[in-house]
Amino acid sequence: MADKKRDSLRKVLSGIVAAIAGAPDREQGLSTAKASAVAEWPLPPSATLGSALRLKGIEREIRARLPWAVRKFAKAETGRIILRMLKTDADAFQAASAIISRTLEGIETLAVLPREAEDILTISARERHKWLKDGRLKSIGTRTVKMRGRSKAVTFHVFDPRHIEDVLDRDLASAWREEDAQEASENRRRGAGKAALTRAGKRQRKARSARTSGNDDAPPPKLEGWDTFEAEGLLR
């Protein structure tokens, strides 16, 4: 009986030892399966123009050209584009790397979207619309997209990144903002002058109207000697 218990205990211990011995092999296989293949591409400041929105826009542009199943593995970070995939997806990794390389060849000329222009130049949407309308901000065309959650497509103007960079480097947005403030002040001054003239004209018309109505209500002037003149029948 005691021998059977000792044999059973030895079997249990042997199983535990075997399980512990086999664990590193399983962990090694798991880490091998999760090992990543990584590729990086530099992203120059002339492409992002210092804008986080522009960086996100470049990421969307790259992902849009990749197969749907691979898009989530491409990521834009400050100064670089990273593609990180499992080593088991070697073929998909190579194909995605080639697409990203081709896309980045002309990334510095990628059109600037309205929200990106506002972020780069630190301007409001109202200023962007005004300066676009009067020609200070120059559009290079329009783009039409179907926005998620909207039944109709949206059309908007896009900008040349070199034009936006020039406006940024010369700080033209500050100069335009000052011009607009001076113009608004001048318009207010002219408007106040016109309003004052209008009020003065109204007061003059009221005064003339009051004088005229006062004369109409007064009795007609009585001429001296008129009764004698009329009694003698000189008008008959």
Side-chain angles (χ1 to χ4, degrees), residues 10 22 29 37 42 47 59 75 102-103 115 120 125 164 183 193 208 225:
R10 279 197 296 270
E59 181 183 86
K75 186 176 181 181
R102 287 195 301 269
T103 304
R115 291 291 303 278
I120 294 168
I164 297 298
E183 181 182 359
R208 286 196 298 268

Side-chain angles (χ1 to χ4, degrees), residues 162-236:
R162 301 288 71 82
H163 170 58
I164 297 298
E165 185 177 25
D166 180 61
V167 173
L168 177 65
D169 291 344
R170 296 165 60 190
D171 197 19
L172 293 179
S174 297
W176 295 344
R177 194 173 290 122
E178 184 176 351
E179 291 174 5
D180 291 346
Q182 293 176 353
E183 181 182 359
S185 178
E186 181 66 17
N187 289 339
R188 285 194 297 270
R189 187 187 66 79
R190 291 177 180 174
K194 289 181 179 179
L197 291 174
T198 301
R199 288 193 298 270
K202 287 182 179 180
R203 285 195 295 268
Q204 290 176 358
R205 287 193 295 272
K206 284 183 179 180
R208 286 196 298 268
S209 177
R211 287 195 298 269
T212 302
S213 67
N215 293 335
D216 292 341
D217 295 338
K222 187 168 182 63
L223 300 177
E224 187 177 352
W226 178 260
D227 293 339
T228 302
F229 187 79
E230 186 178 12
E232 292 180 356
L234 297 176
L235 297 177
R236 295 193 184 115

Side-chain angles (χ1 to χ4, degrees), residues 85-96:
M85 298 177 63
L86 297 178
K87 283 187 175 180
T88 52
D89 299 328
D91 293 340
F93 178 81
Q94 292 297 330

Side-chain angles (χ1 to χ4, degrees), residues 39-41 43 58 62 75-76 79-83 100 104:
E40 292 187 13
W41 294 263
L43 196 59
I58 291 174
I62 291 173
K75 186 176 181 181
R80 61 179 181 172
I81 300 294
I82 299 178
L83 177 66
I100 294 174
L104 289 176

